[in-house]
Amino acid sequence: YTVNGSIDGACLLKVILQVSHLDTKGTASIIRHKLSRLDKLAKEMGYDVAAFVTEVKRPHEMLQARGEDTSDLLNNLFTGLASFKDKTFAAYVVQKEERYDKGEDITPKTLMDLALNKYVKLKELGLWEAPSEDQKRIITLTAQIEGQEKQIQAFSVELKRGTSAKDKAPT
């Protein structure tokens, strides 16, 4: 760093301190805001638990690198993870939250690890976002109704053909 052609270390240090101070204050606020809206982040990540966990860990580590932390990360994680579309997974997260509310000790890292393990297990078993029993019944009933509608349409066409054939037949 030079001033009027002379090397000036003190000015360089001053600039570094100013930039790092601004970065720390402003960036920490942005990171906290991002970590406070994890239900929206889940949607942005396409309800992919692995991507979600990675996207939560990175800003949390950035916040810690600045010598700061967030006290509501665990609550935000419960909210974010419970917003996932998979009902089995969401129920699992709610169960963990209830156990936490009853006094069980759980850290954000532990919750993220448990969520990731549950996600991998459900994916491997082919149960991730599988329809519930009620949804299966609705799908079956919808298929039955659609089948009956096709039969009715075919019968209606036959009736029209039969009527028009009678109308054309000589009497």
Side-chain angles (χ1 to χ4, degrees):
Y1 196 79
T2 59
V3 176
N4 296 328
S6 299
I7 297 176
D8 192 342
C11 286
L12 175 61
L13 179 60
K14 182 178 178 185
V15 170
I16 290 172
L17 290 174
Q18 285 176 332
V19 171
S20 66
H21 179 72
L22 291 175
D23 175 60
T24 301
K25 294 289 185 193
T27 307
S29 176
I30 292 168
I31 293 170
R32 275 197 182 83
H33 177 71
K34 183 175 186 173
L35 291 173
S36 72
R37 47 184 293 279
L38 295 183
D39 53 334
K40 291 177 179 58
L41 179 65
K43 185 176 181 181
E44 290 170 15
M45 299 280 92
Y47 298 102
D48 179 335
V49 178
F52 174 82
V53 166
T54 300
E55 199 60 30
V56 170
K57 283 182 178 179
R58 196 170 47 104
H60 186 241
E61 289 167 357
M62 290 169 56
L63 196 61
Q64 289 176 324
R66 287 170 172 74
E68 300 192 29
D69 206 351
T70 177
S71 61
D72 56 353
L73 179 59
L74 188 60
N75 290 328
N76 292 334
L77 273 171
F78 280 128
T79 301
L81 291 168
S83 74
F84 276 69
K85 290 181 178 181
D86 185 276
K87 300 299 180 203
T88 303
F89 179 80
Y92 176 78
V93 172
V94 168
Q95 175 194 28
K96 292 295 176 193
E97 184 174 18
E98 288 171 355
R99 291 171 70 177
Y100 171 75
D101 289 343
K102 290 180 182 176
E104 186 175 305
D105 192 30
I106 190 166
T107 65
K109 182 186 179 331
T110 303
L111 181 59
M112 287 187 279
D113 290 344
L114 289 170
L116 190 54
N117 290 340
K118 184 68 170 180
Y119 170 70
V120 169
K121 183 178 179 181
L122 289 171
K123 289 284 267 190
E124 286 176 357
L125 295 174
L127 299 174
W128 181 252
E129 294 185 344
S132 67
E133 290 302 317
D134 288 340
Q135 291 170 327
K136 286 178 187 176
R137 279 190 223 112
I138 291 170
I139 291 168
T140 302
L141 290 173
T142 302
Q144 289 174 352
I145 290 170
E146 288 173 355
Q148 289 177 351
E149 286 176 347
K150 288 179 184 177
Q151 288 177 344
I152 291 170
Q153 289 173 349
F155 183 70
S156 177
V157 168
E158 287 179 24
L159 277 177
K160 287 180 183 178
R161 285 185 186 157
T163 305
S164 61
K166 288 180 184 176
D167 290 342
K168 292 181 182 178
T171 52

